[in-house]
């Protein structure tokens, strides 16, 4: 095989939308990664935390936007601020605890002290060393360009030109968040599991839509009996694709099945009556759930991804951020959501399911990381890096059906529609030089044969 | 601690020896992947738990570990530990096939309390793991174990594992601590 490795990778050819062939080098190329930080992460609305994690003025939680470290904090006026965690003086980190409560952010290097809204309060030696010749107003912590929250989920963008959050999310992104929020009044359970996998972040995102792998990758978990093969390999798949790359992919139930379930759980306290495996079926049978999620959305049991990197699990009980740390490493951060009204037993069940299935010791997730890290490794080899990734499953065989409600979905078997949509959107983001260009040139959500 | 305080030095030395031998034996079973034999050493009411650790300020250090009932990395009863072992033996547990190579070190073993048949132990541990050609993991921390004397033999009735890591630097934790 002749080896050809162009020094500059032509942007147009990373993903061939028509043939489903994807250039593997996007999983390891340093230059592409640097561009992603600017064109994807700095530009997108990134999930920061849930409001319940920062209940009081001074409560904070550290997060990242690409490789920019940020503090998400509630200020004295009860406003949520997203501040870059870097002192205006030499750049030192001003908040080192990953969560907690504070009165101000005090820099441990020379002592500049910042208020909860990022304002520079005091500089040691302002008079004696600076001779009062310093513009404190201009030297506050940098703020995210925009901060907004949707149903208690706080997002931030570093780009002032980004459209408003709800518009950015569109109906698919909102449905993704609603898949948690519609359960009722929810809060994050204390404890964010964090671990680092040696893979490119996009492979971790790709996988959340991947209902082809569970039967094989998670075959051993299935054999223990903690989940059925039918759960892990559902034949009815439902895919929803939204502007800017948001997507939902995974199992869905038919109208008839939904009606049966509504019958089964009618009048019961959905979260408490269901056994662990039925939880996601149960809460989606209430009138309220149908109202919020819509007639199509309520039948979805799939995995939403809020572009670029927030995965919501099918029960709406957990969300996982895939945070890039260089092209070859990704951190996985798990957030777990409980309803405030849950009985202690139901809450306990939900938390145990969360620890038992996901996270680095989770029965399912144990077997994922090595697949992604070895797929990443292959993108480095001279020959293996030149062999395209295959994203062809189901291409051209399905149809996007528009419901009178305005929601649309693809109802089919296991497929790769959502992954193709993700990479296609990713490519559009990477080609665009500004939000303006992205708004102008991004694909509308697909319709018709797909 | 009344019982401990009443023991003479010889009795304490004997007990220390028995405890150490049990912990070494149990660690050896895990390293040899004799998981069924390991399970046989656990009481039916065992709680096997590894909370999540966070970086906090010294002022808020009480909040460093998640509390029981909140999220954790492990929060298992006997049944779930049996499921973990069953998974490893399933023949298609890819994270453990090819098998990981592990070495458990247990040190600084202290008997801190005796209540009836239950002996509470504190110990430091180092679990070293390699996988394939270049994967290397190292977990260090301390444990709080409860050993229960049943018919003259020890059984493990509780294991609470406190890691030094906050962000887990490993692809997974498919092994037992
Ligand atoms: S770097 Fe923060 S005060 Fe100097
Ligand atoms: Fe998986």
């Amino acid at each position: 095989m002749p080896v050809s490795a162009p020094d500059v990778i032509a942007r147009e050819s990373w993903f061939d939308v028509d043939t489903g062939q994807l250039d593997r080098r996007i999983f390891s190329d340093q230059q592409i990664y640097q561009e992603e930080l600017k064109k994807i992460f700095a530009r997108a609305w990134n999930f920061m935390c849930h409001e319940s994690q920062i209940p009081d003025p001074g409560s904070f939680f550290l997060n990242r936007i690409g490789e920019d470290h940020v503090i998400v904090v509630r200020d004295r006026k009860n406003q949520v601020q997203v501040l870059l965690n870097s002192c205006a003086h030499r750049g030192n980190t001003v908040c080192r605890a990953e969560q907690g409560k504070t009165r101000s952010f005090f820099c441990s290097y020379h002592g500049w002290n910042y208020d909860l809204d990022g304002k520079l309060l005091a500089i040691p030696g302002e008079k004696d060393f600076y001779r009062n010749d310093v513009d404190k107003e201009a030297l506050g912590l940098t703020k995210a360009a925009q901060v907004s929250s949707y149903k208690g989920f706080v997002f931030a963008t570093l780009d002032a030109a980004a459209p408003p959050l709800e518009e950015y999310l569109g109906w698919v992104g909102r449905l993704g968040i609603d898949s948690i929020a519609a359960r009722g009044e929810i809060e994050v359970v204390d404890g964010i599991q964090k671990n680092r996998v040696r893979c490119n972040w996009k492979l971790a995102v790709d996988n959340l839509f991947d209902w082809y792998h569970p039967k094989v990758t998670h075959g051993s978990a299935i054999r223990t009996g903690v989940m059925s093969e039918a759960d892990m390999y559902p034949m009815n798949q439902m895919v929803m694709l939204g502007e800017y790359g948001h997507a939902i992919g995974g199992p869905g139930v038919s109208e008839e099945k939904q009606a049966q379930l509504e019958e089964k759980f009618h009048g019961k306290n959905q979260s408490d009556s269901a056994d662990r495996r039925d939880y996601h079926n149960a809460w989606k049978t209430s009138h309220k759930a149908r109202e919020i999620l819509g007639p199509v959305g309520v039948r979805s049991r799939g995995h939403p991804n809020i572009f670029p990197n927030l995965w919501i699990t099918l029960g709406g009980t957990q969300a996982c951020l895939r945070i890039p740390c260089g092209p070859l490493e990704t951190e996985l951060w798990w957030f777990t959501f409980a309803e405030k009204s849950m009985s202690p037993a139901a809450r306990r069940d939900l938390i145990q399911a969360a620890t038992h299935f996901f996270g680095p010791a989770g029965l399912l997730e144990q077997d994922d990381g090595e697949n992604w890290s070895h797929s990443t490794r292959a993108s480095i080899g001279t020959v293996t890096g030149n062999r395209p990734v295959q994203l062809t499953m189901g291409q051209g065989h399905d149809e996007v059906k528009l419901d009178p409600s305005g929601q649309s979905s693809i109802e089919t078997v296991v497929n790769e529609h959502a992954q193709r949509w993700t990479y296609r959107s990713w490519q559009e983001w990477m080609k665009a030089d500004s939000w303006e260009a992205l708004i102008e040139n991004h694909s509308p959500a697909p319709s018709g044969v797909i | 601690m009344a019982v401990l305080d009443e023991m003479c030095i010889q009795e304490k030395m004997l007990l220390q020896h028995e405890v150490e031998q049990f912990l070494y034996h149990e660690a050896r079973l895990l390293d040899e992947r004799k998981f069924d034999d390991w399970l046989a050493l656990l009481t039916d009411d065992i709680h096997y738990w590894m909370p999540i650790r966070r970086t906090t300020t010294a002022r808020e250090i009480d909040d460093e570990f998640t509390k029981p009932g909140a999220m954790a990395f492990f929060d298992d009863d006997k049944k779930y530990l049996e499921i973990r072992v069953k998974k490893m033996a399933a023949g298609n547990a890819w994270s453990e096939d090819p098998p990981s190579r592990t070495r458990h070190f247990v040190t600084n073993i202290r008997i801190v309390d005796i209540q009836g048949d239950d002996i509470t132990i504190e110990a430091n541990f180092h679990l070293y793991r390699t996988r394939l050609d270049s994967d290397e993991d190292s977990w260090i921390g301390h444990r709080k174990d409860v050993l229960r004397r049943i018919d003259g033999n020890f059984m493990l009735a509780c294991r609470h594992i406190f890691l030094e890591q906050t962000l887990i630097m490993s692809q997974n934790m498919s092994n037992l601590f």
Side-chain angles (χ1 to χ4, degrees):
Chain A
M1 181 195 283
V3 173
S4 71
D7 287 336
V8 181
I9 295 172
R11 286 187 197 180
E12 317 299 317
S13 61
W14 285 328
F15 181 48
D16 187 329
V17 175
D18 298 325
T19 61
Q21 306 289 298
L22 175 70
D23 195 321
R24 268 186 204 173
R25 288 167 298 179
I26 70 164
F27 297 124
S28 54
D29 186 272
Q30 186 69 41
Q31 218 180 310
I32 292 177
Y33 176 72
Q34 293 300 334
E35 279 198 49
E36 284 178 331
L37 293 180
K38 278 186 255 160
K39 293 183 165 172
I40 305 224
F41 290 96
R43 199 180 271 167
W45 282 97
N46 294 262
F47 175 64
M48 296 285 95
C49 72
H50 186 258
E51 281 174 7
S52 62
Q53 291 176 267
I54 44 169
D56 309 311
S59 304
F60 66 87
F61 178 73
L62 296 191
N63 204 331
R64 296 218 285 276
I65 297 180
E67 297 218 18
D68 281 299
H69 293 251
V70 297
I71 312 165
V72 193
V73 58
R74 195 175 285 277
D75 71 15
R76 283 171 218 290
K77 292 180 192 133
N78 241 338
Q79 294 297 307
V80 177
Q81 300 276 351
V82 175
L83 310 170
L84 277 290
N85 193 0
S86 171
C87 180
H89 182 229
R90 284 288 188 283
N92 184 32
T93 301
V94 296
C95 178
R96 292 191 170 151
E98 61 196 280
Q99 59 181 63
K101 202 167 170 178
T102 188
R103 278 205 294 268
S104 66
F105 299 109
F106 179 79
C107 180
S108 58
Y109 202 166
H110 312 92
W112 288 25
N113 194 25
Y114 300 88
D115 205 351
L116 300 176
D117 60 3
K119 194 166 158 268
L120 181 56
L121 292 171
I123 298 183
E126 185 176 2
K127 177 164 163 277
D128 295 340
F129 307 149
Y130 278 101
R131 305 349 125 79
N132 282 324
D133 187 16
V134 58
D135 180 5
K136 291 220 300 278
E137 286 291 307
L139 293 171
L141 296 174
T142 307
K143 293 183 178 193
Q146 302 184 61
V147 179
S148 185
S149 93
Y150 176 72
K151 301 200 179 172
F153 290 74
V154 179
F155 286 78
T157 172
L158 301 178
D159 196 330
L165 176 63
E166 290 204 19
E167 192 181 317
Y168 170 80
L169 292 171
W171 76 270
V172 173
R174 290 197 300 270
L175 177 57
I177 306 281
D178 287 339
S179 306
I180 305 175
R183 287 164 51 203
E185 206 185 331
I186 50 147
E187 62 183 354
V188 169
V189 179
D190 188 36
I192 310 297
Q193 295 172 324
K194 300 177 179 176
N195 79 303
R196 199 177 276 194
V197 178
R198 289 179 289 284
C199 74
N200 182 271
W201 69 275
K202 293 185 291 303
L203 282 162
V205 172
D206 173 331
N207 182 262
L208 74 94
F209 297 120
D210 186 327
W211 288 82
Y212 188 34
H213 86 290
K215 191 178 175 179
V216 177
T217 299
H218 305 302
S220 60
I222 296 169
R223 259 179 218 173
T224 65
V226 291
M227 59 214 44
S228 72
E229 188 167 311
D231 284 342
M232 295 306 289
Y233 209 52
M235 291 312 286
N236 300 330
Q237 294 278 317
M238 233 173 133
V239 180
M240 281 154 272
L241 308 175
E243 276 181 300
Y244 303 122
H246 311 298
I248 302 175
V253 297
S254 63
E255 313 252 11
E256 302 81 75
K257 177 84 198 291
Q258 179 71 18
Q260 283 167 17
L261 289 167
E262 283 176 18
E263 184 109 327
K264 177 174 168 191
F265 292 108
H266 180 74
K268 292 186 186 152
N269 179 339
Q270 273 86 2
S271 65
D272 285 357
S273 62
D275 107 333
R276 191 188 274 186
R277 271 196 206 160
D278 240 0
Y279 176 77
H280 56 294
N281 278 325
W283 77 262
K284 281 188 182 169
T285 59
S286 71
H287 183 67
K288 201 182 93 211
R290 180 177 278 273
E291 208 168 279
I292 297 171
L293 303 175
V296 179
V298 79
R299 295 192 290 109
S300 167
R301 304 290 186 269
H303 286 162
N305 183 50
I306 310 300
F307 192 88
N309 62 343
L310 179 68
W311 167 27
I312 290 147
T313 59
L314 81 181
T317 54
Q318 289 192 276
C320 183
L321 266 180
R322 278 72 162 91
I323 302 175
C325 322
L328 306 179
E329 289 199 27
T330 302
E331 279 175 25
L332 309 180
W333 290 19
W334 279 102
F335 300 75
T336 306
F337 301 89
E339 289 136 74
K340 285 187 179 163
S341 62
M342 267 179 152
S343 69
R347 187 184 167 97
R348 178 93 196 118
D349 258 13
L350 180 143
I351 291 171
Q352 287 225 319
T355 48
H356 288 164
F357 294 153
F358 294 120
L363 236 59
L364 290 178
E365 199 167 308
Q366 281 178 19
D367 296 306
D368 282 313
E370 215 160 80
N371 290 341
W372 309 341
S373 61
H374 282 245
S375 300
T376 299
R377 188 173 84 171
S379 71
I380 303 170
T382 305
V383 173
T384 53
N386 263 304
R387 188 95 198 257
V389 167
Q390 300 301 311
L391 285 154
T392 56
M393 193 185 287
Q395 186 161 24
H397 294 276
D398 292 314
E399 198 186 338
V400 181
K401 289 227 172 79
L402 184 63
D403 185 81
S405 65
Q407 296 187 317
S408 61
S409 71
I410 306 162
E411 311 224 4
T412 181
V413 292
V414 169
N415 63 82
E416 289 175 340
H417 292 300
Q419 290 102 314
R420 275 193 295 279
W421 180 245
T422 301
Y423 289 113
R424 177 181 181 156
S425 303
W426 172 86
Q427 182 153 277
E428 291 172 352
W429 281 70
M430 293 290 277
K431 278 188 202 168
D433 285 320
S434 65
W435 252 111
E436 241 183 354
L438 183 61
I439 290 170
E440 185 95 344
N441 299 321
H442 73 282
S443 301
S447 58
V449 173
I450 187 161
Chain B
M1 299 274 265
V3 186
L4 249 188
D5 293 342
E6 285 160 22
M7 287 166 70
C8 71
I9 185 74
Q10 282 83 358
E11 285 171 320
K12 283 185 183 172
M13 284 170 72
L14 181 61
L15 184 61
Q16 176 79 17
H17 176 76
E18 286 179 306
V19 163
E20 285 177 2
Q21 288 306 307
F22 174 82
L23 295 178
Y24 297 157
H25 170 63
E26 180 238 321
R28 177 96 179 135
L29 291 179
L30 289 176
D31 290 337
E32 289 179 346
R33 303 182 73 79
K34 292 181 176 159
F35 300 119
D36 286 323
D37 295 348
W38 182 78
L39 280 177
L41 297 179
L42 313 182
T43 63
D44 289 338
D45 63 347
I46 186 169
H47 186 219
Y48 186 93
W49 180 62
M50 182 196 285
I52 299 169
R53 193 171 198 167
R54 292 75 68 94
T55 304
T56 66
T57 57
R59 188 171 49 80
E60 295 184 308
I61 204 74
D62 288 349
D63 208 26
E64 187 179 24
F65 289 99
T66 51
K67 308 281 184 290
M71 284 299 291
F73 286 114
F74 288 86
D75 192 354
D76 293 358
D77 54 13
K78 175 87 175 266
K79 201 178 111 243
Y80 216 79
L81 289 166
E82 286 168 355
I83 289 171
R84 287 187 192 275
V85 168
K86 198 170 164 192
K87 177 181 186 297
M88 282 194 263
N92 54 352
W94 312 120
S95 53
E96 288 297 324
D97 194 355
S100 295
R101 295 161 290 259
T102 64
R103 198 57 54 190
H104 289 73
F105 298 86
V106 190
T107 173
N108 302 50
I109 300 163
R110 292 167 57 241
I111 300 165
V112 295
D113 192 22
I114 301 175
Q115 297 285 339
D117 293 329
D118 285 1
I119 304 168
T120 304
I121 309 296
E122 282 182 1
N124 295 351
F125 69 88
H126 183 180
L127 170 52
Y128 176 78
R129 174 177 83 168
T130 67
R131 276 194 59 63
L132 310 183
D133 56 355
S134 57
D135 288 5
E136 195 176 33
D137 293 296
S138 202
W139 295 281
I140 292 177
H142 77 276
R143 280 187 342 215
K144 212 167 193 173
D145 292 343
V146 175
L147 308 191
R148 186 171 300 155
R149 217 189 265 280
I150 297 174
D151 301 331
N153 295 315
F154 283 141
M155 301 273 279
L156 186 63
C158 185
R159 170 154 294 164
H160 289 181
I161 306 150
F162 303 88
L163 282 188
E164 308 304 352
Q165 296 179 0
T166 51
L167 165 68
I168 305 297
M169 295 300 287
S170 310
Q171 311 226 85
N172 66 29
M173 293 196 283
S174 53
N175 44 273
L176 292 161
F177 284 79

